Amino acid sequence: MGGELWKLDDTQLMAETLAVSAEIHTLQVQRVDLMIAMYERDTVTDHGYRSPAHWLAAATNLEIGECHRIESLARLLRLEPEVRTAYSSGLLDAEKARQIAYFCQHYPRTMNPCDFDKARTILIDHASDKVATKATVRALIHRLEHLYSTGDGPPPGEDTTRNELFVSTTLHGRVVIKGDVDAVTGARLRHLLSPLSAPRPETNGITDDRPASRRNADAFDQLLQYVEAAGLVPVEGGVKPHVTITASITDLTKNAAVKELFAGSPEYRYATEPWAGPLSIDTARMLACDCHVTRILLDEHGVPLAHGRTHRTATTAQRRALAVRDGGCSFPGCSTPPAWADAHHIDHWVDGGDTDLDNLVMLCGHHHRLMHHTEWEVEMTEYRRPQFIPPASVDLFRTPIPGNRPDLVV
């Protein structure tokens, strides 16, 4: 219809929207039916795919997470024909069908078959009401679980034995995290993420425009860094869990003299991490800014020749001094506090840069990545204060911008 929509009056426009929505639902039902058939026939295994979801992600532009949701709904509805019928007829949308089918697979042990049939009918009837939401369906399920609770164990919503967490690597090395945890574990995670995911305070009229999903992701990354830095996780393989980056010295450095000294070393143009796989050199340099560094020299066959000491590039005393001087992330307009910032080398240590205050600047994770992956630059002024130089795409004249300046520092 496209460019002819202007011909429709308001009533026709609404009717056409409803018709398209009904058609989309019909196609979604057909896709679930096809996924059920593929699962029952084990169609894709011989083609080298672990599941229909992985095949669908590889064959389309759908994200792997969306494909897993489609497959999981198909597997649930395959076991619950009554719910499948209600979904196919348009009484239930995908999310409510998933909720009810999951309950039917995990109903309280004390519920007899007759009561179970009644409960399923009640749930379908309630969810079919146009005013019903996922929250109201979940509340009704919770009431049923409480009604049939025996007191000899937690209700399903609080049963930790049902917890699942999947962490899988997808295209481009990105990682999909999918989980189903009990209410208390979920509440614990939400409480830890809440203060980290709050919108940043408005600064100079600039508001935090990150969507909630991005703020949660940034908060989760920050939470992992806190746990890693605190050293609270048990030792594995003789060392505490940590990110390990391996890169050629000729890739990692920009120093011409060092490159000439190691002229025979290979240049792979990427770094590697055991879990993440290949990473860009810019990311490797960023991670090396504020970390423990172990120097290992390899021969042309990749065999270690020498193993250097592990040392920290920025000491605790230096970080305290940076916190006083920069007051947190020093990028103009950023209000990230010192505890959430990294110590960034202005002249990278692999390029011969010293680990002293005049060569260090505090940056939050976002601006740390900005400095390593874009043309932004930072330098020290004659007053030993950081200033930032924008790329020509931002300012053709690349006029330096003073960094943040704590009120108590003169």
Side-chain angles (χ1 to χ4, degrees):
M1 184 167 292
E4 298 183 354
L5 292 178
W6 63 272
K7 296 180 180 180
L8 302 179
D9 60 26
D10 291 351
T11 301
Q12 293 172 325
L13 193 61
M14 290 188 290
E16 192 67 26
T17 300
L18 292 178
V20 170
S21 297
E23 186 175 351
I24 289 174
H25 180 79
T26 299
L27 292 174
Q28 289 175 332
V29 169
Q30 292 178 5
R31 182 170 60 183
V32 168
D33 290 342
L34 291 168
M35 292 289 279
I36 291 174
M38 292 178 67
Y39 179 76
E40 291 176 340
R41 299 183 191 181
D42 196 18
T43 306
V44 301
T45 302
D46 291 342
H47 294 269
Y49 297 99
R50 287 181 290 171
S51 70
H54 287 88
W55 165 79
L56 186 61
T60 67
N61 61 355
L62 293 176
E63 290 290 331
I64 184 65
E66 176 65 18
C67 296
H68 278 306
R69 284 190 289 274
I70 296 169
E71 182 187 9
S72 66
L73 177 61
R75 295 176 68 172
L76 282 170
L77 295 184
R78 171 177 173 267
L79 301 174
E80 298 298 331
E82 291 82 359
V83 183
R84 180 179 177 182
T85 299
Y87 172 63
S88 300
S89 64
L91 294 175
L92 303 177
D93 64 12
E95 289 305 315
K96 297 187 187 73
R98 188 192 310 277
Q99 285 179 295
I100 298 174
Y102 185 86
F103 168 80
C104 292
Q105 287 294 301
H106 302 86
Y107 63 88
R109 306 179 194 86
T110 58
M111 185 176 283
N112 60 51
C114 182
D115 289 342
F116 168 71
D117 289 339
K118 290 180 181 178
R120 181 178 55 209
T121 301
I122 291 172
L123 284 170
I124 292 175
D125 289 344
H126 172 76
S128 301
D129 195 324
K130 287 185 172 57
V131 299
T133 65
K134 289 194 300 180
T136 61
V137 174
R138 185 169 62 247
L140 182 54
I141 290 174
H142 185 75
R143 289 177 60 187
L144 289 168
E145 291 172 343
H146 178 74
L147 180 63
Y148 286 90
S149 175
T150 61
D152 60 354
E158 300 165 19
D159 187 357
T160 59
T161 62
R162 301 185 181 191
N163 289 2
E164 295 178 321
L165 182 65
F166 302 94
V167 182
S168 57
T169 303
T170 64
L171 297 175
H172 311 298
R174 297 190 64 81
V175 175
V176 168
I177 302 174
K178 176 185 177 183
D180 178 13
V181 298
D182 63 280
V184 176
T185 301
R188 183 175 290 117
L189 177 62
R190 287 174 179 271
H191 279 296
L192 291 173
L193 292 179
S194 181
L196 302 177
S197 61
R200 300 189 187 104
E202 181 176 328
T203 304
N204 297 328
I206 301 175
T207 60
D208 188 350
D209 60 355
R210 295 175 300 163
S213 58
R214 172 64 186 276
R215 288 190 279 108
N216 282 332
D218 290 346
F220 186 64
D221 174 52
Q222 195 70 52
L223 181 62
L224 294 179
Q225 292 185 47
Y226 286 163
V227 174
E228 187 180 53
L232 302 177
V233 183
V235 169
E236 181 182 42
V239 295
K240 288 186 178 294
H242 59 286
V243 174
T244 302
I245 302 295
T246 303
S248 164
I249 185 63
T250 49
D251 280 330
L252 207 55
T253 185
K254 294 180 180 178
N255 188 298
V258 175
K259 283 184 176 291
E260 184 178 350
L261 180 64
F262 293 94
S265 299
E267 292 190 64
Y268 301 107
R269 302 301 182 186
Y270 65 89
T272 60
E273 203 285 328
W275 279 108
L279 295 173
S280 70
I281 292 299
D282 285 339
T283 294
R285 290 171 64 89
M286 180 191 73
L287 292 172
C289 271
D290 194 14
C291 67
H292 289 280
V293 179
T294 302
R295 176 181 55 82
I296 303 176
L297 296 181
L298 309 178
D299 63 14
E300 66 273 16
H301 304 294
V303 178
L305 292 174
H307 185 279
R309 292 186 304 166
T310 298
H311 61 279
R312 191 165 183 83
T313 57
T315 66
T316 301
Q318 286 174 323
R319 287 185 61 87
R320 289 173 179 168
L322 286 172
V324 173
R325 189 196 70 191
D326 297 343
C329 179
S330 60
F331 194 88
C334 185
S335 59
T336 301
W340 299 1
D342 300 326
H344 167 72
H345 283 74
I346 296 175
D347 294 322
H348 205 283
W349 62 272
V350 294
D351 296 331
D354 296 326
T355 304
D356 57 37
L357 292 181
D358 288 340
N359 194 44
L360 294 173
V361 62
M362 277 200 148
L363 294 174
C364 68
H366 171 75
H367 291 117
H368 199 173
R369 290 187 289 271
L370 185 75
M371 301 307 298
H372 280 276
H373 292 279
T374 70
E375 298 301 317
W376 276 90
E377 297 177 7
V378 58
E379 64 181 13
M380 280 293 173
T381 68
E382 58 180 316
Y383 303 105
R384 303 175 67 192
R385 302 282 307 172
Q387 65 179 7
F388 294 80
I389 304 173
S393 58
V394 175
D395 177 3
L396 184 62
F397 300 100
R398 307 199 69 190
T399 306
I401 306 172
N404 286 333
R405 187 185 184 95
D407 294 336
L408 296 181
V409 177
V410 295

